[in-house]
Amino acid sequence: MDEMVMITDLGVCGGIFFDDNLFFYDDRFYDDNYNISWTRNIAVEFQSELLPNASHNTVSSDLTANPPYFFLLQKWLQFCDSNHFECHRQREKEKFWPTRVIFVGNLNKLTLVEEPLQGEDYLALSHCWGILTEKEKNRFCTTRKNHQDRLQGFSYDELPKTFQHAIQVTRALQKQYLWIDALCIIQGNDGDWGTQAKTMADIFACAYCTIAASSARGWGDGFLSPQTDPPDIGALITPSTLTCKCDFNKDVDEGALMERAWVLQERVLSRRIIHFTAAHTYCECGDGVLCEQLTKLSPPRGKQFFILDPTFPSRLTKSGSTRTADFVQFLFKKYSASHLTFGTDRDVAIDSLVERVAQVLETEVRYGIFDRFRGSLLLWKRSQEDKTPRISYGDRTVPSWSWMAYSGGIDFLSDIKQNLVVPSSVDLGFADDGKALDVKVRRFGENCRVEQQAEGHVIVNGTEEVGCIWFDVADRIEFKHCVAVGMDKYDKKEDPRKIYYILVVWKKEDGVEYERLGVGKVEAQYVSRDGDAGRLW
């Protein structure tokens, strides 16, 4: 083999090495020639088009050295347009256009534009708002008060640094339109956030590219800054001694931006993203990831493969039921552990993503529970030690059986690989009202009791431990009724010691309605065979 390639997984780039020109990908082997050509073609264009005229021989996000830096970003996207059919094809067919975008093509002023534009591209900004005063919100955001004025034009100098940098990137990529939530959605109690939030899936899925301000914790930080050790283009073109020190997982997945719950939806739905981190700049698309040092990070295996789907969630349709359900659990665990400024956004900050999955999988979804996987998804437990009370949603209702009812991270009692099944004898389904579950409520055995342990409660019959429970809230512990959700596929139906996975429930005063108190598992012989029909809210 006469080619030398740098290929890593989405972790630390360790340097150059030889291989047999094949890599393992999604349980199959693929030829790696396209990885070689991408890196080599960009390097050749640097050498022939840029270096003879460059003021110095570096690629850097330093604003004083932006020609070579932004040239690299252009080439990334142009190569993706020309060579990655899956990343590009949706743009050709998509007719969606945001309600508002910012026209940045005039250097003297910006303009808020409200008419749809055919044949144009726009970029979208994914960013952290940070901690803002009311004065700062009124100054920077589009509100009913300044909405009409911004349709006539406003100044670049009026905006915070993160927005200014996004505008610079948009212009450098030779595009004229940019979407930023704070500027393109009318903010405030009298704004149109309620209607605009429903279009988030299309906004990010149809953008030419998403700009991710990964290193900025707030609007004032910005994300374009000098690098302390800019790479040498000459070394990139002949990388015989190059060792790339980029760490995509640390720079992106553990960065400030990915701490935000809203960003998970933005990232998954975007066809491609440029991540501006404190250490490196990365271009992420359905084919994998490139870092600014022309290092190709090999396409990811497992769950990350679905996150990078440029036509999300089409890859799920080919992955099989088990892998799809496993990814859904992974997605909800990741989302639940992310930060929300307003706890009441818990149900809406992932709504567009969930609805898109439901449509493709042709299944009903309610409050983060897909009917197709309802057994395993109902068996969530809170992973947070400080188990705060339920979120107060005001006029909205989120039922107790949904993980969206509480803040904080979650885990699932039943891993998909455990082959959980819902027997025909178990009554468990969505009620017609759209909010409750129709269930069969059983009673625990008369001689059973619960005892607290370090990580939850155990169910004891005499001196024998026969099950365990994780209650949702520390001060709401009642042990009378439960709902059997499923059993292990390999357990014999007649075996009294088979394990039932259960929801622990509390009976309301009317005797028909119930609320969830926790989740657990118990030997089937210690719950009643018969039960009463009820509704779980």
Side-chain angles (χ1 to χ4, degrees), residues 216-234:
R217 292 190 173 274
W219 291 354
D221 293 350
F223 55 86
L224 296 175
S225 59
Q227 294 184 345
T228 56
D229 186 19
D232 187 316
I233 291 178

Side-chain angles (χ1 to χ4, degrees), residues 259-296:
E259 294 175 0
R260 289 186 59 234
W262 279 99
V263 171
L264 178 63
Q265 177 172 264
E266 296 166 7
R267 182 182 181 188
V268 172
L269 294 175
S270 295
R271 282 197 304 275
R272 51 195 180 187
I273 308 175
I274 301 177
H275 298 277
F276 295 88
T277 77
H280 290 271
T281 303
Y282 301 90
C283 187
E284 175 183 83
C285 73
D287 186 61
V289 177
L290 275 183
C291 85
E292 66 186 33
Q293 296 190 350
L294 307 186
T295 301
K296 180 69 168 65

Side-chain angles (χ1 to χ4, degrees), residues 429-441:
F430 291 145
D432 293 337
D433 60 17
K435 297 179 181 178
L437 290 178
D438 288 328
V439 296
K440 178 189 287 187
V441 180

